[in-house]
Amino acid sequence: MGTGRQQVCVMRSIMIMAAILVVLGTSMAQFADKMTTDRTQAKAMDKAKAMNAFASMQPDTARAGVRSVTVPRDSRGHFQTEGRIDGRRLDFMVDTGASVIALNERSAAQIGVRPMRSDYTANVSTANGSVKAARTRLAMVDIGGLVVRDVDALVLPDSALSENLLGLSFLSKLKRFEMTGGKLVMEQ
């Protein structure tokens, strides 16, 4: 008789534990879904800000002949902007530590640049280590009306570069660029 009661107690404990696990599992799934939704919404807001910044980029009319673009810092602390390479739209993260414009293969293909495997001869140091990249030259890069021609760039494998980088091969050809008050100001 004692073993029957023990079995019932064990079964009751197992059922209670299973119910607790179901509640915890459901709560964790809801929490993960909320985190994913929050992250997705933050990225969408950053993209919308970048798009609005691009749409509002107008030449500086206060000084004749000077064109200026201001890019606000996003929630991650980066400067995201939209640009055009040879007339095709691409998104960029401004990176003053990058010596040239860096494109991932997917973006390069969108603008008609498709290096062969044998073209990947440049050694590049990234946050994830060293990687081979293909050199290329872009005929025209336009960021909010600031146009630079004949710009050096590198194409990196998609696995090595998630975001296109707007580096010094573009920025150094401007009249000036500076980060001030949470904004990046570029002038030509």
Side-chain angles (χ1 to χ4, degrees):
M1 192 118 203
T3 58
R5 277 191 191 172
Q6 287 175 342
Q7 287 178 346
V8 168
C9 285
V10 168
M11 288 301 289
R12 185 177 301 145
S13 296
I14 291 172
M15 293 300 286
I16 291 171
M17 186 60 94
I20 290 171
L21 289 174
V22 167
V23 169
L24 282 175
T26 302
S27 297
M28 292 303 287
Q30 290 173 347
F31 179 73
D33 187 44
K34 181 178 179 353
M35 292 297 290
T36 303
T37 300
D38 289 349
R39 230 179 262 140
T40 302
Q41 288 173 346
K43 282 184 180 180
M45 286 175 55
D46 287 344
K47 180 133 178 131
K49 284 180 186 175
M51 298 292 264
N52 288 339
F54 182 75
S56 66
M57 291 183 218
Q58 298 296 322
D60 185 347
T61 56
R63 294 178 289 173
V66 175
R67 290 184 303 273
S68 178
V69 171
T70 302
V71 180
R73 188 181 306 263
D74 69 13
S75 63
R76 299 180 305 161
H78 300 294
F79 297 102
Q80 300 283 343
T81 189
E82 181 181 279
R84 296 193 181 279
I85 296 179
D86 298 333
R88 295 202 174 103
R89 191 190 73 73
L90 290 178
D91 292 325
F92 290 95
M93 179 175 69
V94 178
D95 185 354
T96 58
S99 56
V100 297
I101 288 178
L103 303 173
N104 56 39
E105 289 172 318
R106 183 180 65 254
S107 296
Q110 289 175 2
I111 62 168
V113 176
R114 294 178 180 85
M116 297 184 338
R117 286 292 146 211
S118 61
D119 294 331
Y120 287 79
T121 58
N123 288 318
V124 178
S125 295
T126 70
N128 297 325
S130 186
V131 66
K132 292 281 189 181
R135 288 180 172 85
T136 190
R137 192 168 291 263
L138 306 171
M140 185 183 78
V141 179
D142 178 346
I143 304 293
L146 305 180
V147 177
V148 175
R149 297 184 189 287
D150 199 28
V151 183
D152 288 326
L154 291 172
V155 177
L156 282 76
D158 289 339
S159 60
L161 185 66
S162 60
E163 295 182 90
N164 299 315
L165 304 177
L166 187 66
L168 291 175
S169 61
F170 175 86
L171 296 169
S172 66
K173 293 184 178 183
L174 298 175
K175 180 177 180 179
R176 79 176 183 98
F177 67 93
E178 71 178 355
M179 293 173 215
T180 180
K183 295 178 180 177
L184 170 69
V185 178
M186 298 179 283
E187 283 185 0
Q188 187 178 46

